[in-house]
Amino acid sequence: MLFAEISIFDIISQATYAALAGAALWGLYCATVVWARVNQKRFKSEDEQDVFMDDVEQMLSGGDFDGVAEYCEGDNRAIPQIIEMAMHHRELGYKRARQFVLDRFQRDVMSDLEYRLSWVSTVIKSAPMIGLFGTVFGMMGAFKTLATSESVEPSLLAGDINVALRTTACGLAIAIPLMILVANVNIKIAKMEDLVGSGLARFMTQYKDALLKWPGGGSSTPASAAAEPVEAVMQSPQR
């Protein structure tokens, strides 16, 4: 009996609110994950990264490849992870090891960030459309009230119009803050790329010299593997 008294317009309006709430939570979650991941993968400042790189370069200059790997082990930041992978794959030679670690960085870090941000962009685009959908059905409910009532009560008509306006307002209220948040996240990603790029260029120069100077690297690494043709050192990771 109670279900029979609920109109299709009431059901759709409630479903619209639920869809808007779900979109808002998912968009905020993805943006928060990206924000936290960027903070996790970068050094807090260039000075802090320089101190870390000084320690790495000192060990590389002495041919202590295993020491560098141990120094970077357990560090979740991008540069230490890249350096640790390069140490473990030095038998590939400079060119191939460099390409391997850059591919891993692109796949494991940047691709995940782009995936999350694409979801946030989808929410930004879809939230106003969901709100517009609720607006259309709210106005349809208002016209239905006008068509089926001989004497229209303002409260009934106002309820349908309220749904029509509120869903659009909710959609915009979701999209606008997320747009600002994504802009800030993109700035943080750009700063991370610049910082990682500068540290990576510095490391690769020292890494190449260390492989040529210490071809064994404290292991059975063949000298010919370290003497492969060298490409220009990348200045920053590709987005």
Side-chain angles (χ1 to χ4, degrees):
M1 180 67 69
L2 180 61
F3 181 78
E5 296 176 357
I6 301 176
S7 68
I8 185 64
F9 299 100
D10 293 330
I11 296 174
I12 291 176
S13 65
Q14 296 303 317
T16 301
Y17 289 135
L20 286 170
L25 291 175
W26 179 246
L28 184 60
Y29 168 76
C30 290
T32 302
V33 168
V34 173
W35 186 283
R37 191 161 175 80
V38 171
N39 286 333
Q40 181 189 47
K41 291 298 179 181
R42 66 189 293 266
F43 285 89
K44 294 181 180 179
S45 66
E46 189 170 359
D47 291 338
E48 183 180 349
Q49 179 172 288
D50 288 340
V51 171
F52 176 85
M53 293 304 303
D54 289 339
D55 294 337
V56 170
E57 288 180 352
Q58 184 177 0
M59 286 184 280
L60 282 178
S61 64
D64 188 8
F65 292 90
D66 292 332
V68 174
E70 291 178 5
Y71 184 57
C72 297
E73 187 177 359
D75 196 326
N76 292 324
R77 291 172 293 193
I79 287 291
Q81 286 186 331
I82 290 174
I83 294 175
E84 183 181 2
M85 282 189 291
M87 295 301 103
H88 290 315
H89 294 83
R90 59 185 182 274
E91 72 279 358
L92 299 175
Y94 169 74
K95 181 179 178 181
R96 292 174 62 190
R98 172 183 173 274
Q99 189 60 48
F100 174 81
V101 297
L102 294 182
D103 288 344
R104 283 290 300 271
F105 174 72
Q106 178 67 29
R107 183 176 70 249
D108 296 345
V109 178
M110 299 308 300
S111 294
D112 180 65
L113 297 181
E114 292 170 1
Y115 167 76
R116 298 286 184 182
L117 284 179
S118 68
W119 272 114
V120 181
S121 297
T122 300
V123 171
I124 291 172
K125 295 174 183 178
S126 61
M129 300 303 295
I130 296 173
L132 181 61
F133 179 82
T135 297
V136 170
F137 270 88
M139 294 308 297
M140 288 174 64
F143 285 121
K144 178 177 178 294
T145 300
L146 287 173
T148 57
S149 301
E150 295 183 358
S151 121
V152 179
E153 298 222 3
S155 60
L156 295 177
L157 195 58
D160 293 326
I161 295 175
N162 183 47
V163 170
L165 297 178
R166 185 180 295 174
T167 53
T168 298
C170 289
L172 294 174
I174 293 169
I176 293 172
L178 284 178
M179 289 176 62
I180 298 172
L181 183 58
V182 167
N184 279 277
V185 169
N186 282 328
I187 291 173
K188 288 182 71 68
I189 291 175
K191 290 181 177 180
M192 181 192 73
E193 287 185 302
D194 290 341
L195 199 58
V196 169
S198 64
L200 190 57
R202 179 177 172 181
F203 164 71
M204 285 300 175
T205 300
Q206 188 69 25
Y207 182 53
K208 172 190 169 185
D209 294 340
L211 287 177
L212 294 174
K213 184 178 179 182
W214 308 91
S219 65
S220 59
T221 308
S224 59
E228 295 186 16
V230 177
E231 297 177 342
V233 176
M234 185 195 72
Q235 295 302 315
S236 66
Q238 295 294 322
R239 283 199 195 192

